[in-house]
Amino acid sequence: MGNIGLSSQGMVRFGASSSPDDQSLAGFEALAVPLLDALYNFARWLAQNPNDAEDLVQETYLKALRGFTSFQSGSNFRAWMFQILRNTFLSSRSKLEWRMTDAMDSEEDGPELAVDTKTPETILLNRSNSHLVQCAIEDLPVHYREALLLCEVEEMSYQEIAEVLSIPIGTVMSRLARARKAVRESLLSAPDAPLSRELSHPIETH
């Protein structure tokens, strides 16, 4: 297996490799390299540390390259890569964090919550340089934050998010609803928040 790393230009460097073969390696590069920026952005939100995010992305690409021969052609490669990154991140967490996540997951069983496609939160997420929104998202529990980012930043469908997180679509909807509610409450509670007035008025959806 060859080496893989992140260059200063944000590109992936692959070392010489005898397995998988050159053709498989070229196919992997063609699919994986365009996803680097998105994967790094997701890793940075999860790890909340640039250096840890780089390590996470590098390990993700190594694992994906090793397992590329088992990837089924025609499957969702993007979701597959994000799933590997997310699982790699989770494997680095402590057993206590795992138990806490499992406990929170169990609370989500029950009726699905409706998820609006256009809400104050989704509009604010699309606005650049919104420090309040960034802080609100950073304060979310990881399992809410990852669902919100995959939906609003990566624009994944509920089905894709379900694949990445290995959860039912109903749980995806529940997490998104709770994440958006938490973001709204955080923004509304921020002192002298310039966006509070806008958030206090529901946005009409069609």
Side-chain angles (χ1 to χ4, degrees):
M1 169 60 68
N3 294 325
I4 178 174
L6 301 176
S7 73
S8 59
Q9 289 76 32
M11 294 298 291
V12 180
R13 299 194 306 270
F14 296 92
S17 174
S18 58
S19 177
D21 59 30
D22 292 341
Q23 185 175 359
S24 295
L25 179 59
F28 177 79
E29 287 189 30
L31 292 171
V33 172
L35 297 176
L36 178 60
D37 288 343
L39 287 166
Y40 174 74
N41 185 55
F42 187 52
R44 186 172 54 82
W45 278 103
L46 291 179
Q48 296 187 315
N49 179 288
N51 292 330
D52 290 343
E54 287 188 8
D55 291 342
L56 180 57
V57 171
Q58 179 170 308
E59 188 173 355
T60 296
Y61 274 82
L62 281 170
K63 289 181 176 179
L65 181 57
R66 292 190 187 107
F68 186 60
T69 54
S70 64
F71 175 74
Q72 296 182 354
S73 178
S75 300
N76 191 324
F77 184 79
R78 182 175 68 149
W80 184 67
M81 288 291 291
F82 272 85
Q83 184 180 54
I84 293 175
L85 187 147
R86 191 247 184 182
N87 289 343
T88 301
F89 169 72
L90 290 179
S91 67
S92 69
R93 301 170 66 189
S94 69
K95 292 182 179 179
L96 175 59
E97 290 175 308
W98 269 105
R99 288 197 296 268
M100 291 176 64
T101 299
D102 290 342
M104 288 185 288
D105 286 345
S106 66
E107 294 175 357
E108 295 175 358
D109 295 335
E112 298 176 5
L113 299 179
V115 178
D116 294 331
T117 57
K118 187 177 181 182
T119 67
E121 296 80 18
T122 61
I123 290 176
L124 291 175
L125 283 169
N126 291 324
R127 294 184 177 178
S128 60
N129 302 320
S130 178
H131 179 69
L132 290 175
V133 175
Q134 180 176 335
C135 290
I137 296 174
E138 289 177 348
D139 288 340
L140 290 173
V142 172
H143 68 305
Y144 289 161
R145 187 166 69 239
E146 62 187 6
L148 188 64
L149 292 170
L150 290 174
C151 180
E152 306 300 350
V153 178
E154 298 306 323
E155 299 182 343
M156 289 189 179
S157 66
Y158 295 159
Q159 180 61 47
E160 286 181 304
I161 298 172
E163 291 178 19
V164 172
L165 304 183
S166 300
I167 57 176
I169 290 180
T171 303
V172 170
M173 297 173 67
S174 175
R175 290 186 184 183
L176 285 172
R178 288 181 168 89
R180 288 166 175 164
K181 179 181 178 181
V183 169
R184 174 183 293 178
E185 291 176 348
S186 177
L187 294 174
L188 288 173
S189 65
D192 301 323
L195 302 173
S196 295
R197 179 176 299 178
E198 178 180 345
L199 283 171
S200 64
H201 297 286
I203 294 180
E204 294 183 0
T205 58
H206 301 281

